Amino acid sequence: MTLNLNKPICFFDLETTGVNITSDRIVEIAVLKVFPDGKEERKSWLVNPGVPIPAEVTAIHGISDADVADKPSFREVAKDIHAMVKDSDLAGFNSNRFDIPLLAEEMLRADVDFDMKGRVAVDVQTIFHKMEQRTLSAAYKFYCDKNLDDAHSAAADTEATYEVLKAQLARYEELENDTKFLAEFSSRKKFADFAGFIVFNKYNEECFSFGKHKSKRVEDVLNEEPGYFGWLLNADFPLYTKKVLTAIKLRAFNNKLA
């Protein structure tokens, strides 16, 4: 089974200092770029996160402070990573809820303007959970009849995710070999930001998904309660969420001038 692509797709996986999108940092990233002609390109980076890696996290992925002590910071490699993925759709395992939001945060902290305009994201975990309800290791065994001996190694997880998606396409006739279809199939809810604080309603309007203004249109809230925008920008929300809020506010302001 080969993927039917109209642009490259980058399968990627992150190993991190933890699971908080706003405060945790990347310590390893592996990217497998697949081109429409079948060519494949692989690259991985170990990254010094600038903060200690908790012992309980090292126990999971095996990367310690000593392993990254002499490695570059994310800021130092951000442009190289972005150059590899910027023309591609993205794919991963639980990537829509974790890897893409965290990658966006790291990019924005490094002053790289990361977004997904003109691209789609395929979450292989969501496809798996809709079809079988299991983990990556189980998915690899189920679909590929192989053991994932190097689980929680970014490179091994990336390779396994790529193989699982191809096996899913071969197994399920209802899955279309098309990245746009797979992105829509693997999405849970349509978010305006990566972290899910701003969602689209049935009219494709941005609404808050949390707090006292849950389900209200963002544009209405920012217009009726201007101070709320300032609070959001100063609160501990992801940088990409703040970027989206600022764009909505600027759009509303420009519409008033038009």
Side-chain angles (χ1 to χ4, degrees):
M1 170 63 68
T2 58
L3 298 183
N4 182 20
L5 304 174
N6 55 23
K7 68 166 61 174
I9 183 169
C10 283
F11 292 80
F12 79 105
D13 185 69
L14 306 178
E15 302 303 339
T16 67
T17 60
V19 296
N20 187 302
I21 292 168
T22 304
S23 61
D24 279 307
R25 300 291 187 266
I26 293 170
V27 297
E28 184 182 21
I29 177 170
V31 180
L32 164 58
K33 187 170 186 176
V34 184
F35 294 83
D37 64 2
K39 174 187 170 187
E40 298 175 4
E41 179 182 337
R42 294 167 173 80
K43 191 157 186 182
S44 61
W45 295 262
L46 275 174
V47 177
N48 187 329
V51 296
I53 303 172
E56 62 271 22
V57 177
T58 295
I60 295 172
H61 56 49
I63 302 171
S64 67
D65 291 335
D67 294 326
V68 296
D70 62 347
K71 301 302 178 183
S73 67
F74 188 86
R75 176 177 289 273
E76 292 175 280
V77 298
K79 290 183 179 178
D80 290 338
I81 297 171
H82 189 247
M84 187 171 184
V85 306
K86 67 181 180 181
D87 64 341
S88 306
D89 294 327
L90 297 182
F93 201 85
N94 194 33
S95 49
N96 284 358
R97 291 193 296 177
F98 181 72
D99 297 80
I100 292 176
L102 184 53
L103 179 62
E105 288 301 289
E106 290 278 43
M107 287 290 183
L108 292 173
R109 276 192 288 266
D111 297 319
V112 174
D113 191 16
F114 179 91
D115 62 44
M116 291 292 290
K117 290 176 183 176
R119 302 191 284 167
V120 298
V122 178
D123 194 326
V124 176
Q125 185 194 61
T126 303
I127 296 174
F128 182 39
H129 285 179
K130 284 186 175 182
M131 295 299 189
E132 304 295 345
Q133 304 290 311
R134 298 190 186 168
T135 65
L136 177 56
S137 295
Y140 197 49
K141 181 66 176 176
F142 182 84
Y143 289 110
C144 306
D145 197 24
K146 298 178 183 178
N147 293 319
L148 186 51
D149 297 325
D150 234 354
H152 297 298
S153 157
D157 288 356
T158 298
E159 297 284 345
T161 301
Y162 177 41
E163 290 189 43
V164 167
L165 178 58
K166 291 189 292 182
Q168 286 173 331
L169 288 167
R171 179 179 288 264
Y172 303 114
E173 292 183 1
E174 61 265 44
L175 293 181
E176 295 179 19
N177 192 346
D178 175 81
T179 48
K180 184 176 180 181
F181 171 87
L182 293 170
E184 291 175 354
F185 188 86
S186 63
S187 65
R188 288 177 170 83
K189 196 169 186 179
K190 192 176 180 184
F191 300 141
D193 64 334
F194 294 131
F197 290 108
I198 306 169
V199 299
F200 289 102
N201 62 18
K202 63 181 180 179
Y203 304 108
N204 210 37
E205 300 168 323
E206 299 99 338
C207 297
F208 287 108
S209 67
F210 68 96
K212 64 179 182 178
H213 294 305
K214 185 175 181 179
S215 300
K216 294 181 182 178
R217 293 197 328 148
V218 173
E219 191 170 322
D220 292 340
V221 172
L222 298 185
N223 182 53
E224 296 166 6
E225 194 176 331
Y228 193 59
F229 177 71
W231 176 80
L232 290 168
L233 291 188
N234 289 312
D236 190 25
F237 287 99
L239 295 176
Y240 195 84
T241 300
K242 295 176 182 180
K243 176 183 176 181
V244 171
L245 286 167
T246 301
I248 294 171
K249 187 172 180 65
L250 288 174
R251 184 185 67 204
F253 178 75
N254 290 332
N255 286 342
K256 286 182 180 179
L257 295 179

